[in-house]
Each structure stands twice: as structure tokens, then as C-alpha cells.
């Protein structure tokens, strides 16, 4: 896990460090999926109904 550069809707950027991401993951009731080689589910989960949209979110939360 590494630092994650995030861009807000209004265009400002900030960084989430590893500690913040790990704490977020521990507090979730679901699963945190990240875009790395160990998360095979990421490619499937990032797809949206309209296949013309191709987004690559930094984190995906699956609520269980």
C-alpha cells in the first residue's frame, strides 16, 4: 500500500497516506478494494453500467 493522490470535485488535490488508508480499512464494515496487482476484483468493480465511461477510482468500498 502506498500514498494515494486524490483530486476533489472542485479540482484541489491532496494525499492520503498509508496510515489513513489502513485506519479507514480497519473501520469499514465492508471490503476496501485498491487498484493494485493483488486486488483482482478491482477491474470488475470499477466497471459501470454505461461501458462508455472508463474510470479508475483510487479506492472502492464494497459494503457487506
Amino acid at each position: 500500500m502506498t500514498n494515494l493522490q486524490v483530486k476533489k470535485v472542485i479540482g484541489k488535490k491532496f494525499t492520503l497516506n498509508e496510515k489513513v488508508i489502513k485506519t479507514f480499512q480497519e473501520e469499514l464494515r465492508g471490503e476496501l478494494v485498491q487498484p493494485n496487482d493483488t486486488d483482482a476484483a478491482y477491474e470488475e468493480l470499477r466497471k459501470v453500467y454505461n461501458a462508455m465511461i472508463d474510470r479508475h477510482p483510487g479506492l472502492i468500498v464494497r459494503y457487506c
Side-chain angles (χ1 to χ4, degrees):
M1 189 179 331
T2 60
N3 293 340
L4 179 65
Q5 184 76 15
V6 180
K7 183 177 180 183
K8 294 182 178 182
V9 175
I10 58 173
K12 297 193 180 223
K13 293 182 181 180
F14 64 96
T15 301
L16 295 175
N17 63 37
E18 290 184 45
K19 184 178 178 183
V20 170
I21 295 170
K22 185 70 174 168
T23 302
F24 180 56
Q25 186 174 21
E26 291 169 355
E27 297 293 324
L28 284 175
R29 291 185 182 172
E31 176 186 6
L32 184 65
V33 181
Q34 301 179 53
N36 58 33
D37 296 334
T38 61
D39 276 329
Y42 177 81
E43 283 300 317
E44 185 64 31
L45 292 173
R46 73 175 190 84
K47 294 177 185 175
V48 294
Y49 179 74
N50 181 351
M52 293 182 68
I53 298 172
D54 186 25
R55 302 289 173 134
H56 296 269
L59 300 171
I60 300 172
V61 175
R62 288 177 56 173
Y63 182 74
C64 302

